[in-house]
């Protein structure tokens, strides 16, 4: 039974992760790292990429109303950071940066004037998936 106070977005998440969970046998789920079913990775929850955190978790800093996102990851044709994305409180999308192997994985984003709140940043590696961190400004 689905609680009546679930929002459509929560319902979609529930359905998505429910379907993903159903795809794996219970024994495998019990042994699996949590990492949101190995889809979204963080410093504290690196899932099956444990040991890769240092080079993949994006580092976010704010100075003078500008957000800087850096991923301390080497860049080569075979292995590189593909993109950063930035989302503010309430899911407000702020921006995205896309990289080639010749770029450095650093992006800057202007925050709305006087912004205070949570900033969530992501970094995507072409080999090691989707990493997330957040700060409060
Ligand atoms: Fe990587």
């Amino acid at each position: 039974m689905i609680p009546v106070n679930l929002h459509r977005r929560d319902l979609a998440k529930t359905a998505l992760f429910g379907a993903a969970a159903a795809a794996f046998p219970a024994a495998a789920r019990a042994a699996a790292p949590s990492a949101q079913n190995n889809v979204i990775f963080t410093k504290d929850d690196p899932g099956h990429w444990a040991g890769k955190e240092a080079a993949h978790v994006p580092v976010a800093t704010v100075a003078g109303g500008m957000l800087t996102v850096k991923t301390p990851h080497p860049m080569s044709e075979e292995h590189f950071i593909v993109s950063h994305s930035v989302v503010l409180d309430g899911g407000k999308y702020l921006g995205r940066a896309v990289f080639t192997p010749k770029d450095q994985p650093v992006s800057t984003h202007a925050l709305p004037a006087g912004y205070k709140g949570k900033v969530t940043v992501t970094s995507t590696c072409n080999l090691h998936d989707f990493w997330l961190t957040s700060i409060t400004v």
Side-chain angles (χ1 to χ4, degrees):
M1 177 175 212
I2 298 171
V4 293
N5 62 347
L6 272 180
H7 295 280
R8 287 178 55 199
R9 184 175 42 197
D10 295 330
L11 181 60
K13 280 192 233 172
T14 301
L16 176 66
F17 287 108
F24 297 100
R29 282 198 314 271
S34 56
Q36 305 215 14
N37 292 324
N38 277 324
V39 174
I40 300 169
F41 304 94
T42 67
K43 178 182 176 189
D44 295 330
D45 196 358
H48 68 112
W49 293 125
K52 302 285 188 192
E53 304 92 313
H56 291 87
V57 175
V59 178
T61 57
V62 174
M66 292 296 294
L67 170 73
T68 300
V69 182
K70 297 180 181 178
T71 306
H73 191 284
M75 298 291 272
S76 69
E77 291 290 330
E78 299 78 26
H79 184 192
F80 63 99
I81 296 300
V82 174
S83 65
H84 289 156
S85 59
V86 180
V87 177
L88 303 180
D89 252 344
K92 180 177 174 23
Y93 174 79
L94 183 66
R96 186 164 194 259
V98 177
F99 306 109
T100 72
K102 294 179 181 172
D103 296 325
Q104 288 303 307
V106 179
S107 61
T108 57
H109 312 264
L111 294 170
Y115 180 78
K116 298 288 182 197
K118 186 176 177 183
V119 177
T120 299
V121 300
T122 71
S123 180
T124 302
C125 173
N126 72 321
L127 298 182
H128 302 113
D129 299 320
F130 186 79
W131 295 76
L132 178 145
T133 196
S134 63
I135 63 170
T136 300
V137 176

